[in-house]
Amino acid sequence: MGMSKWIGGVLGWVVGGPLGALAGFALGSLFDANNREIREEAYGGNGGASANPYEGQRNSFLFSLLALASYIIKADGKVMHSEMEYVRRFLRSNFGEDAVMQGEQILLRLFEERKQMDSRSPGMFANTIRQCGAQIAANMSYEERLQLLSFLAGISKADGQVTPDEVVALKEVARSMGLTDAEVDSMLNLGSTSLDGAYKVLEVAPEATDDEVKKAYRRLALKHHPDRVASLGEDVQKAAEEKFKQITDAYERIKKARGMK
């Protein structure tokens, strides 16, 4: 999928509010007068209509990811190559090679917008991101927001360590989207091989009863089921399937440690 198709469909529910303002800055800067036709399609014309009824939601999800990623990547004050590479891989799998460079341009523009906004008023960009989270909460399903949080946690883990500043930023973004600190801890511990990490994945304390552990797993299995994000595309659904498998692995680790059947 070409980037112009993304931009043509991205501004569905993103057209207004703080995400719309960021999109106008980040996307509009990519085109010169020779690309006026594409820009008019994105901001007017068919309003992002598509033969695919899910395209607007999918593309809104992806721009939201980039907007929030620009905040998470710089949470510790620096841009790590591994974190940018994580985003590149995601763009490549969703849009193809041509979209990678343009996605990077969007992130760079968002980094610049953060710099400019915070120079005018410290914390202004963070406040905008919180407002973006509220807009996302009003327009995305709970399951889609969980998948978005999963990708953001993946960015934080990309360099092999998650800094305290990144944890604070993730929890700040999660709360703005109507998600919880426990859900952030769960996402950050996906793939952990420790028993303590397994409990955090299931969002239960080590002192929980066997019945509480089973109920926690059933609850997570329901809300993280890959079919619940089918409208976002096969690649996003595959990522959800991997997350679902990691949740099951955490449950099996706890069962083995407790001798549960």
Side-chain angles (χ1 to χ4, degrees):
M1 182 187 298
M3 201 66 158
S4 62
K5 187 69 174 294
W6 175 7
I7 294 168
V10 70
L11 299 178
W13 58 262
V14 172
V15 69
L19 278 169
L22 288 181
F25 181 87
L27 299 179
S29 67
L30 296 178
F31 303 103
D32 57 24
N34 294 329
N35 294 302
R36 186 181 304 276
E37 201 172 300
I38 292 176
R39 192 185 304 136
E40 287 176 351
E41 179 187 354
Y43 292 95
N46 64 11
S50 168
N52 181 352
Y54 298 119
E55 186 176 20
Q57 185 73 4
R58 170 182 165 81
N59 294 340
S60 296
F61 174 90
L62 289 165
F63 180 77
S64 298
L65 172 66
L66 283 179
L68 298 182
S70 72
Y71 185 63
I72 298 302
I73 288 172
K74 293 207 71 176
D76 56 2
K78 53 190 175 184
V79 178
M80 300 294 292
H81 171 77
S82 54
E83 293 172 338
M84 292 294 290
E85 185 57 30
Y86 183 95
V87 177
R88 290 186 195 102
R89 289 196 302 270
F90 182 74
L91 288 173
R92 188 175 290 112
S93 67
N94 281 277
F95 294 105
E97 195 64 41
D98 289 344
V100 175
M101 181 180 68
Q102 291 169 312
E104 285 186 279
Q105 286 181 285
I106 288 173
L107 278 174
L108 291 174
R109 289 293 293 170
L110 289 169
F111 292 152
E112 179 60 27
E113 177 69 347
R114 175 177 186 160
K115 181 179 178 180
Q116 292 184 18
M117 291 175 72
D118 287 347
S119 69
R120 296 194 296 271
S121 177
M124 186 177 180
F125 189 78
N127 186 55
T128 297
I129 289 297
R130 286 191 290 270
Q131 293 171 354
C132 287
Q135 185 179 359
I136 288 166
N139 289 280
M140 282 188 192
S141 71
Y142 174 64
E143 293 79 13
E144 288 170 341
R145 283 177 278 142
L146 282 175
Q147 192 59 36
L148 183 57
L149 179 61
S150 176
F151 282 122
L152 295 174
I155 291 172
S156 294
K157 294 191 292 183
D159 61 353
Q161 62 178 0
V162 182
T163 69
D165 287 337
E166 288 173 327
V167 174
V168 168
L170 280 168
K171 291 184 176 180
E172 182 182 4
V173 168
R175 291 185 205 117
S176 73
M177 294 194 295
L179 303 176
T180 67
D181 289 2
E183 285 167 330
V184 172
D185 291 334
S186 177
M187 298 296 184
L188 289 175
N189 282 278
L190 286 174
S192 169
T193 58
S194 73
L195 187 59
D196 181 62
Y199 281 112
K200 288 180 179 177
V201 168
L202 264 61
E203 301 174 28
V204 294
E207 298 79 21
T209 65
D210 289 356
D211 188 54
E212 288 171 334
V213 169
K214 290 176 183 178
K215 287 180 179 178
Y217 173 68
R218 288 196 292 268
R219 176 176 54 82
L220 286 180
L222 182 63
K223 74 180 184 180
H224 288 284
H225 198 283
D227 288 350
R228 292 180 175 266
V229 293
S231 64
L232 298 177
E234 290 184 7
D235 36 23
V236 175
Q237 194 172 19
K238 285 180 181 177
E241 289 172 357
E242 176 59 26
K243 179 181 63 178
F244 188 83
K245 180 181 180 298
Q246 291 174 322
I247 290 170
T248 301
D249 289 345
Y251 178 54
E252 292 298 328
R253 192 177 309 118
I254 293 173
K255 284 176 61 179
K256 182 177 180 180
R258 288 178 172 227
M260 292 169 56
K261 295 183 179 180

